[in-house]
Amino acid sequence: MDILGLINGFIRVVETGSIAAAARAQGVSAAAVSQGIARLETHVGVRLLSRTTRSMALTESGARYYAKVRHIPGDIDLASQAATLEASPKGRLCVATTAAFGRHVLAPLMPAFKAAYPRIDIELIGTDRPVDHRLEGVDVSIRIFAQLDDRLVARRIASRPFVFCASPAYLERAGVPRSPEDLKDHACVVFRYPTDGRFLPWGFVRNGLRFDAQVNPAFVCDDIDMLAQIAANGGGIARLASFVAQPLIDSGRLVPLFRQDGRNKAYAEPEPMDLYACVAERSALNARVRAFIGFIEQALESQASARPGAVMSLTI
């Protein structure tokens, strides 16, 4: 008896929602799928599916069984890849990422990734909206903590500082905030999530305790680069990822705020931006995805080592 084949047929029925759909997906008859389910139920000794002429549903035993076996086909694929020891992964790789991270960090790294893995064909999706890995064919996504989805498997791969900054002209006009509590009295340039309308919170850590600063949103936008340009042209204080802020700081158009000072008892550390690699499930960690995550993780680590403390070296 081909137990693995029967399990795979059962998984297809559950995930497609019907025996007929599972049969079409496998290129076999509905009768063959139905007979396979019956043989599997005989093998395990319990009814897995409750079937009528009009509906089908998992039994309690079936739900428990599905939870235990749903990863088996993917695990077998991973084992096959490991056994073949393929030195050069190949095939399509679809990566989704936030627009700003994709534009400033990921896209510049892609030619080097392609050179390292020439048989991988890369598709990038740069958007701040939620993406559905399964419906949109996404293999892996790079997300910040606020975008994590408990339906995905996530692993932290890097951390980047958030930088609070403003233009010299704005600071000369409005004064320099010395603590997060001062932000409520300043014009703030705030990012709003395009999907649910939430503001991205301005997080700090003081004496081991995290808190969100109260902000006065003078400008609201759903595009980080537009926020950066508003701040650089005197619109107010922005909270930007370091990879967006640093070129504007280097050119003198923005000045970083809240530098660490042992004499300033009100000092609070800006909460960093943690980056996560996310997949739909562990079985999605195929050779292409593993190659991509490893490459990006190493590249981000090298970038961080190359410019330690770049932002903090500047003065107001």
Side-chain angles (χ1 to χ4, degrees):
M1 183 183 297
D2 179 12
I3 295 299
L4 290 177
L6 298 180
I7 289 173
N8 188 61
F10 168 69
I11 292 171
R12 289 292 188 95
V13 169
V14 174
E15 294 184 346
T16 60
S18 72
I19 287 176
R24 288 193 296 271
Q26 297 178 90
V28 298
S29 68
V33 174
S34 182
Q35 291 167 8
I37 296 296
R39 287 197 296 271
L40 183 61
E41 289 175 332
T42 299
H43 174 75
V44 299
V46 295
R47 181 170 290 279
L48 302 174
L49 296 172
S50 175
R51 302 185 290 277
T52 69
T53 55
R54 295 188 178 183
S55 65
M56 182 203 72
L58 282 169
T59 64
E60 289 187 15
S61 296
R64 289 193 297 269
Y65 188 75
Y66 173 71
K68 294 294 185 181
V69 303
R70 63 190 296 263
H71 297 296
I72 288 178
D75 290 343
I76 291 173
D77 288 341
L78 290 176
S80 298
Q81 292 176 29
T84 59
L85 296 175
E86 184 178 27
S88 181
K90 62 182 178 180
R92 173 185 177 273
L93 177 71
C94 182
V95 181
T97 180
T98 61
F101 183 80
R103 184 177 299 120
H104 293 275
V105 180
L106 193 60
L109 292 173
M110 285 299 92
F113 177 73
K114 181 68 173 177
Y117 298 98
R119 297 202 294 170
I120 294 181
D121 300 319
I122 306 155
E123 178 179 350
L124 298 180
I125 299 175
T127 179
D128 293 310
R129 65 170 176 81
V131 295
D132 188 307
H133 279 225
R134 293 180 176 86
L135 291 180
E136 299 182 55
V138 173
D139 296 294
V140 58
S141 60
I142 306 297
R143 305 185 179 209
I144 63 174
F145 181 80
Q147 297 172 316
L148 292 184
D149 185 333
D150 58 11
R151 294 170 296 181
L152 299 176
V153 178
R155 181 167 72 86
R156 180 180 173 276
I157 59 171
S159 182
R160 288 290 179 272
F162 272 120
V163 183
F164 291 85
C165 48
S167 71
Y170 174 83
L171 295 175
E172 183 177 355
R173 181 176 76 248
V176 179
R178 298 298 177 184
S179 73
E181 287 77 8
D182 295 337
L183 289 170
K184 66 181 185 300
D185 300 318
H186 282 265
C188 297
V189 186
V190 180
F191 178 81
R192 186 196 295 276
Y193 281 107
T195 52
D196 58 15
R198 290 180 297 144
F199 288 160
L200 186 68
W202 288 17
F204 290 85
V205 178
R206 178 186 288 141
N207 299 325
L209 299 177
R210 184 198 176 279
F211 65 96
D212 290 332
Q214 181 180 344
V215 299
N216 173 31
F219 295 93
V220 178
C221 186
D222 66 354
D223 183 272
I224 293 295
D225 287 300
M226 289 175 66
L227 292 182
Q229 289 303 315
I230 291 171
N233 286 278
I237 297 172
R239 177 185 187 251
L240 303 173
S242 58
F243 51 77
V244 177
Q246 194 65 54
L248 295 169
I249 292 171
D250 291 342
S251 67
R253 297 186 66 196
L254 288 176
V255 176
L257 305 173
F258 307 130
R259 294 185 63 220
Q260 187 168 9
D261 184 348
R263 297 169 297 177
N264 182 6
K265 295 183 179 179
Y267 173 75
E269 184 77 24
E271 186 178 39
M273 179 180 68
D274 289 333
L275 296 164
Y276 294 80
C278 303
V279 294
E281 54 191 359
R282 295 192 185 280
S283 62
L285 287 167
N286 57 42
R288 295 183 302 278
V289 172
R290 289 180 184 275
F292 172 79
I293 293 175
F295 179 91
I296 295 302
E297 196 167 15
Q298 183 175 3
L300 295 180
E301 182 178 352
S302 297
Q303 288 180 356
S305 300
R307 299 195 68 181
V311 171
M312 299 307 297
S313 67
L314 297 168
T315 58
I316 294 176

